Amino acid sequence: MKNIVYIVDDHNMVRNGLKAWLEQHSDWRVPKDFANSKECLECLECLSKLEDKLRDEVFPEIIIVDVQLIDETGFALVKQITEKYPQIKCVMYSMFDTTGFVLQAKDSGAKGYISKVAKEEELVHCLEVVQNGGSYIEQYMAEAQNKIDSIVSVLSKQEHNIFEAILQEKSNKQICDELFISPRTVENYTSRLYAKIGVKNREELIERYR
């Protein structure tokens, strides 16, 4: 196994600290790290043009991506990597541990989701699980995620999007701006969502799937 991982995080100290810990305390190598998605995608594009032997020596098996980057989210980057480089697996690493962010990570194609407050050993375990073809969510998030998985299959695409946004505790205005729909449309979809799930309001929905 190559054990090559890249890191994408807009905080210098986080990147450097995580890289140093992984290389000193695990078998993972971190030859490259990036502050934004542009740098990462440009690097992958260049590496993909190398001869097979050279490319294999530095091409990552896994990329750790922060959920929130400067002026962008990590979800879009994970989706692009997953679609263009299916051999690379992504793990999302974040201060946000609400179920809505985990759901969006899975929708983007991430194979793992771990919070920045987790112990470094758990991150290494996550990388090993993902490397071996599995998926990983921190244990304390797993129960809520199982409940979410049981309901998303009956939601329409737009209901799913709004469900995800509500679980991220976004306001109706934020949902309107992100999905390019009117306030009345958000209200209509939200009412349908409550009826399908069997809750009376936003607070009850968030509490049920927290």
Side-chain angles (χ1 to χ4, degrees):
M1 295 184 181
K2 297 190 304 180
N3 287 359
I4 297 176
V5 62
Y6 290 177
I7 300 168
V8 184
D9 193 299
D10 55 2
H11 292 93
N12 230 16
M13 290 180 65
V14 172
R15 291 199 315 276
N16 293 338
L18 188 54
K19 173 179 178 175
W21 194 94
L22 286 170
E23 293 192 330
Q24 290 171 23
H25 298 91
S26 78
D27 294 328
W28 289 92
R29 293 185 292 128
V30 190
K32 296 184 182 295
D33 60 87
F34 312 96
N36 56 58
S37 60
K38 183 174 181 290
E39 292 176 1
C40 178
L41 292 171
E42 286 177 350
C43 176
L44 292 176
E45 180 68 24
C46 289
L47 293 178
S48 66
K49 296 174 182 176
L50 295 174
E51 294 180 6
D52 291 351
K53 186 176 180 181
L54 290 174
R55 184 181 64 242
D56 289 344
E57 289 177 0
V58 291
F59 214 62
E61 292 176 89
I62 297 175
I63 300 181
I64 299 171
V65 181
D66 189 11
V67 164
Q68 189 62 57
L69 303 169
I70 293 177
D71 297 327
E72 59 180 338
T73 72
F75 300 117
L77 174 59
V78 169
K79 189 170 184 181
Q80 289 181 76
I81 292 171
T82 301
E83 290 175 352
K84 192 164 185 181
Y85 307 100
Q87 71 273 41
I88 300 175
K89 296 162 182 161
C90 292
V91 167
M92 301 211 78
Y93 189 56
S94 176
M95 287 304 298
F96 303 104
D97 61 0
T98 60
T99 50
F101 286 96
V102 180
L103 180 58
Q104 190 170 359
K106 290 174 68 177
D107 291 342
S108 301
K111 298 300 182 184
Y113 192 102
I114 191 161
S115 67
K116 289 185 177 180
V117 297
K119 292 182 178 179
E120 291 89 345
E121 292 83 0
E122 185 164 12
L123 174 59
V124 172
H125 177 58
C126 171
L127 295 177
E128 290 169 350
V129 170
V130 170
Q131 181 186 43
N132 289 314
S135 298
Y136 189 87
I137 299 173
E138 277 180 80
Q139 189 59 43
Y140 77 94
M141 301 184 209
E143 184 178 345
Q145 201 58 42
N146 288 337
K147 288 194 291 185
I148 287 175
D149 290 343
S150 69
I151 192 66
V152 292
S153 60
V154 302
L155 301 180
S156 70
K157 187 175 188 304
Q158 199 69 298
E159 287 168 347
H160 180 113
N161 292 336
I162 291 172
F163 179 56
E164 197 173 85
I166 290 174
L167 290 177
Q168 293 177 13
E169 301 186 17
K170 292 178 179 175
S171 66
N172 278 8
K173 184 178 186 310
Q174 288 174 303
I175 296 172
C176 290
D177 292 343
E178 289 183 10
L179 299 180
F180 304 105
I181 54 180
S182 70
R184 177 56 61 88
T185 301
V186 172
E187 291 169 8
N188 289 340
Y189 272 109
T190 301
S191 296
R192 283 187 231 165
L193 189 57
Y194 294 164
K196 279 189 178 182
I197 293 175
V199 296
K200 296 176 183 177
N201 52 45
R202 176 184 291 250
E203 290 72 24
E204 192 177 339
L205 184 151
I206 292 171
E207 183 61 33
R208 179 175 296 188
Y209 295 100
R210 187 180 298 279

